[in-house]
Amino acid sequence: MRTSISILGCGWLGLPLGKVLADYAHEVKGATTSINKLPVINSAGMEAFLLKGPGIDTDMDFFKTDVLIITLPPSIPGYLQIVDEVRERLVVSGIKKVIFISSTSVYPNTNSIVVEKDAINVASAHSGVALLEVEEGFRQSKNFDTTILRLAGLYGPGREPGRFLAGKKGLSGADNPVNLVHQEDCIGVIKAVIEQGFWNKTFNVCAPSHPTRKQFYTLACKKMNLEPPTFSGEKAPYKMVSAERLLRETGYKFQRPDPLQDL
């Protein structure tokens, strides 16, 4: 079924996501704050919109859509203010379905497997608390249905993991599990949510296989002819992100289930 989809944030994930959705005959719109990016969005098969500040004009055609996908990276300036304003304006926009792209940074390091219910908002407990509060704001709204996707560490085109730790010395946590997800699976899960109607859900999106840091990053660097990192014997706090709920409730099959095999 053809669906109108608007993507707020056409960067590393949003741009290829829009292209895939457009290729599947959905009506896709992409918004940017950069006028130079408008032709790039158009060339990906989307209708491009320029967001001008201050304030967000929810009367513009970008917000006349069936589904809004928010893929803004939390690192951008003014992130919290932007997403809060978007959420408030959604009440009057008429949009009924929202996908909010979050991060597994909402979980503290527990030295154990973490599942969706483990993201507990304890003030100052860890760096993901602010993002968890943003999630809760969307989740509590009665005006639209929201599905929250907590993405693990991102890799894929333009984000080659061999570059992440190349040449670093004396790193701790050699045996810690890595939590990664390929761009293809980020897009695949978002597409499944829209087309199969998995609404009012919260899912971890992380490859099921978790090689160790030393194993993964050493090989990743060697494959790119970069200097591998070295590790000390010092232990470090960790978490292992489980995507079991996603697999169980949606039946999604990861295209890249083992990051080690992608190297």
Side-chain angles (χ1 to χ4, degrees):
M1 183 177 67
R2 183 177 174 85
T3 303
S4 60
I5 303 166
S6 291
I7 301 174
L8 180 58
C10 292
W12 182 84
L13 176 59
L15 191 66
L17 168 65
K19 185 178 187 308
V20 168
L21 293 174
D23 287 345
Y24 275 85
H26 294 296
E27 177 190 345
V28 187
K29 306 169 186 177
T32 180
T33 57
S34 171
I35 194 168
N36 295 329
K37 204 162 189 178
L38 294 175
V40 178
I41 295 173
N42 283 326
S43 66
M46 294 181 274
E47 182 180 1
F49 290 83
L50 183 65
L51 291 182
K52 299 178 181 179
I56 296 174
D57 179 12
T58 50
D59 289 331
M60 66 190 300
D61 285 344
F62 175 79
F63 287 97
K64 296 174 182 177
T65 190
D66 298 320
V67 180
L68 174 66
I69 306 173
I70 302 172
T71 66
L72 297 171
S75 58
I76 65 171
Y79 173 80
L80 293 177
Q81 179 180 347
I82 293 170
V83 292
D84 282 346
E85 185 174 350
V86 169
R87 188 181 66 246
E88 291 172 3
R89 297 300 181 93
L90 282 173
V91 175
V92 297
S93 71
I95 295 173
K96 296 302 181 185
K97 307 290 184 185
V98 174
I99 296 176
F100 178 70
I101 302 302
S102 185
S103 166
T104 55
S105 67
V106 299
Y107 301 108
N109 289 321
T110 59
N111 299 329
S112 62
I113 296 173
V114 293
V115 298
E116 286 79 0
K117 66 180 178 60
D118 294 325
I120 300 172
N121 191 344
V122 180
S124 302
H126 56 98
S127 61
V129 165
L131 188 55
L132 193 59
E133 291 174 349
V134 174
E135 284 187 10
E136 194 60 27
F138 280 96
R139 192 182 290 112
Q140 289 181 354
S141 176
K142 305 301 181 185
N143 298 92
F144 47 85
D145 297 324
T146 301
T147 285
I148 295 166
L149 300 179
R150 295 173 178 160
L151 307 187
L154 304 171
Y155 76 102
R159 289 183 65 92
E160 291 78 13
R163 302 186 187 280
F164 296 171
L165 299 182
K168 294 188 179 296
K169 307 293 185 183
L171 297 175
S172 60
D175 295 327
N176 287 7
V178 297
N179 301 295
L180 294 170
V181 62
H182 194 278
Q183 185 186 79
E184 288 182 18
D185 283 307
C186 298
I187 293 172
V189 170
I190 294 169
K191 184 171 175 289
V193 168
I194 296 170
E195 296 183 346
Q196 299 179 50
F198 297 115
W199 298 109
N200 295 316
K201 304 284 189 179
T202 299
F203 293 126
N204 292 334
V205 185
C206 182
S209 181
H210 302 267
T212 68
R213 290 183 82 210
K214 183 176 182 179
Q215 180 185 30
F216 180 78
Y217 287 108
T218 299
L219 184 58
C221 289
K222 287 181 177 179
K223 290 288 186 178
M224 296 186 68
N225 294 316
L226 298 174
E227 181 185 358
T230 62
F231 291 84
S232 68
E234 183 180 356
K235 294 185 180 299
Y238 71 89
K239 59 197 171 197
M240 182 184 291
V241 178
S242 170
E244 175 58 30
R245 183 182 184 189
L246 172 71
L247 299 173
R248 182 180 67 251
E249 295 190 15
T250 71
Y252 181 78
K253 296 186 183 302
F254 276 81
Q255 302 167 65
R256 306 290 188 108
D258 186 352
L260 203 60
Q261 291 186 357
D262 286 337
L263 298 177

